[in-house]
Amino acid sequence: MSGTARVGRRGASGGTNDAAYLRRLGPGDVAVIDQVDLDRATATALLEAGVVGVVNAAPSISGRYPNLGPEILVEAGVTLVDDCGPTVFSDLADGSTVRLHDGAVHVGDREVVRGFAQDRDTVADLLDEARGGMAAQLEAFSANTSEFLGRERSLLVDGVGVPAISTSMRDKQVVVVAGGPGTAEEVRALTGFIREYKPVLVGVGDGADALREAGHTPAVVLGTVAELDPSLARKARDVVVPADPDGFVAGLARMQDLGVDPIAFPSSANPEDMALLLAHAHGAALVVAVGFDASLGGFLDRGRSGSIPSTFLTRLRLGPTLVDAPAVLALYRSRVSILTLVMLVVAVLAAAVVAALALGAGPSLVLLLETGGRAVAQWATAVYRGVVG
């Protein structure tokens, strides 16, 4: 297949944690990235951008654990040329037309770089082998968790470092939306819950865009300068930015130039967990997590090494205050009860009978309406009793 090469930065995933790169991608492009163990979130973001091919300088499946990204790409018919080496960033020019064939990347008639062509069978074999690396990853997880706890003990235990915000969350329900696979669908499914309970909405990175697309305006947005949309940030009551010492000062000046005055959150936790800790520290009665994957595979299938202990310890800190969106969707029902619907049906049929009498309808029509009304009322009552009982 052929497409336009969009070359990312060497050492950058070109995925969900590189929003500027994602915005450059469009339908028919070939994404040139550098990400070991291509995760599900990155693969989904690439698919949503419409890419037809992916050229990865690194191995998409290293064998450390069974990551899900490559399987998602090949199942969707995206050509994946894997493990091409770092020279791909110097050998390929951004915007050039490339052709991918049998593991090779061609520009015109010239083979520029060669990798490994992944397909369903090769990905399945590599994933089977990678499942054997789970034990080693769990051991590393234990060590990283102890290290993270030592570094962020004050934040996790006492809430030290959580910034003050103008949005009130005390004794309120808070919905935290992160940009992940299925986020848009979960937000749309929660529309009834949001309208009824009017929770405080917090958008993290692309999660803020998902809220806007569903017709909601987040009160708080949190993310890096590259992730946040200035137009959406200006509408939020609070804008919280991770205080990354490498880029926070420059990013702060840029956002202030755009009319946004962000609040710094000094922590090495990932932005999604910062948002959960922010809600908990400000007294949220219930925190609903949207776009989060709390499964073991989801914990391991992350591109950032610090994400696993951060997410694990954050969930322990929030405890029963935190619930995931699928649980809310399974339990939530509208306050319009079945009994109310029964009464509505009976009222409509009664009105029909009255109208028929007023218009001089024959006895047979009135009898039909009365009989139908009683039948519908009995059926609806039986349904109500069955559900409530």
Side-chain angles (χ1 to χ4, degrees):
M1 50 75 57
S2 299
T4 302
R6 298 299 177 195
V7 182
R9 294 178 292 109
R10 181 178 176 183
S13 69
T16 52
N17 57 339
D18 194 345
Y21 175 73
L22 276 179
R23 286 194 287 269
R24 293 172 47 210
L25 296 174
D29 285 345
V30 174
V32 182
I33 63 175
D34 184 11
Q35 182 168 345
V36 178
D37 294 327
L38 186 63
D39 60 277
R40 181 176 68 169
T42 299
T44 302
L46 293 172
L47 285 182
E48 291 175 349
V51 302
V52 294
V54 174
V55 176
N56 195 353
S60 296
I61 304 176
S62 70
R64 296 183 301 166
Y65 64 94
N67 55 302
L68 307 177
E71 184 177 38
I72 290 173
L73 290 178
V74 298
E75 288 292 336
V78 174
T79 302
L80 175 58
V81 179
D82 206 20
D83 200 10
C84 294
T87 59
V88 67
F89 293 98
S90 57
D91 294 338
L92 279 182
D94 188 75
S96 60
T97 300
V98 297
R99 180 169 55 89
L100 309 183
H101 176 68
D102 197 23
V105 182
H106 300 264
V107 176
D109 295 330
R110 181 171 61 95
E111 179 180 310
V112 176
V113 68
R114 175 170 288 274
F116 178 71
Q118 297 280 18
D119 56 31
R120 289 182 176 87
D121 294 333
T122 59
V123 168
D125 291 341
L126 288 171
L127 288 179
D128 285 339
E129 295 177 7
R131 290 185 178 92
M134 288 281 286
Q137 286 302 299
L138 291 175
E139 290 178 6
F141 161 71
S142 177
N144 291 337
T145 300
S146 298
E147 179 184 348
F148 183 84
L149 180 59
R151 186 171 62 248
E152 299 287 357
R153 180 184 314 232
S154 298
L155 170 64
L156 292 168
V157 176
D158 302 317
V160 175
V162 176
I165 57 175
S166 59
T167 301
S168 174
M169 297 182 177
R170 177 69 56 185
D171 299 326
K172 296 181 180 179
Q173 298 181 11
V174 178
V175 174
V176 177
V177 181
T183 293
E185 291 78 7
E186 286 187 356
V187 172
R188 285 194 293 269
L190 282 170
T191 296
F193 174 85
I194 293 173
R195 287 176 179 170
E196 182 171 336
Y197 290 96
K198 295 180 174 53
V200 177
L201 301 179
V202 180
V204 184
D206 294 337
D209 296 322
L211 281 168
R212 176 173 57 183
E213 291 170 4
H216 309 294
T217 301
V220 181
V221 295
L222 191 152
T224 64
V225 175
E227 289 176 326
L228 298 181
D229 183 342
S231 63
L232 186 57
R234 281 192 290 268
K235 296 179 181 178
R237 185 174 302 170
D238 295 289
V239 179
V240 182
V241 179
D244 178 8
D246 295 329
F248 175 71
V249 175
L252 177 64
R254 178 174 173 269
M255 294 197 77
Q256 289 175 336
D257 291 341
L258 295 172
V260 179
D261 191 14
I263 303 168
F265 193 153
S267 173
S268 60
N270 62 58
E272 296 91 338
D273 298 330
M274 287 185 186
L276 297 178
L277 292 169
L278 184 74
H280 183 263
H282 286 281
L286 180 73
V287 181
V288 180
V290 182
F292 292 70
D293 186 352
S295 65
L296 178 60
F299 274 106
L300 295 176
D301 191 28
R302 293 168 181 261
R304 292 161 292 178
S305 60
S307 294
I308 300 175
S310 168
T311 300
F312 175 70
L313 291 172
T314 297
R315 286 183 168 266
L316 284 180
R317 182 70 183 95
L318 268 70
T321 305
L322 176 64
V323 295
D324 290 293
V328 173
L329 293 173
L331 296 173
Y332 169 72
R333 294 292 182 272
S334 173
R335 289 182 179 177
V336 179
S337 67
I338 297 178
L339 182 59
T340 303
L341 297 178
V342 171
M343 298 304 295
L344 178 62
V345 170
V346 172
V348 171
L349 289 170
V353 172
V354 172
L357 289 171
L359 294 174
S364 59
L365 178 57
V366 174
L367 179 61
L368 177 62
L369 288 171
E370 290 177 343
T371 304
R374 284 194 299 270
V376 171
Q378 290 171 359
W379 169 81
T381 303
V383 171
Y384 171 74
R385 288 174 178 170
V387 172
V388 174

